[in-house]
Amino acid sequence: MKKKFKCDIDCAACAAKVEDAVKQMEGVVDAKVNFMLQKFTLEADDEHFDEILKNAIETGKKIEPDFSVEV
């Protein structure tokens, strides 16, 4: 499943760090964090999508505390 969300992230470097970390998570097929458009795209396993999304947001917050996603 692939879904796009509105997100809030402060800088391009932080967006790249969050994107790289989320891509390495189990169950994630692909992830993109677009700083300019303030968009977070997650492609992950259908069965566990909600759990993976929750973990991806938590991972993003560990890297950039101001990172937020509108679910």
Side-chain angles (χ1 to χ4, degrees):
M1 177 183 301
K2 184 176 183 179
K3 287 189 177 183
K4 293 181 182 182
F5 304 92
K6 185 174 180 350
C7 74
D8 186 25
I9 192 152
D10 293 338
C11 70
C14 297
K17 289 178 187 176
V18 170
E19 183 176 302
D20 290 343
V22 171
K23 282 182 176 180
Q24 294 177 20
M25 291 174 51
E26 187 175 330
V28 173
V29 176
D30 194 22
K32 290 185 176 45
V33 181
N34 188 317
F35 165 70
M36 294 297 290
L37 297 175
Q38 297 287 293
K39 294 284 182 190
F40 173 58
T41 305
L42 179 65
E43 185 175 353
D45 179 38
D46 289 354
E47 285 184 32
H48 305 290
F49 188 87
D50 292 336
E51 181 181 339
I52 294 168
L53 174 61
K54 179 180 175 244
N55 290 338
I57 293 169
E58 288 174 3
T59 297
K61 283 185 181 286
K62 288 178 186 171
I63 294 166
E64 173 54 47
D66 292 333
F67 178 68
S68 64
V69 176
E70 289 183 22
V71 181

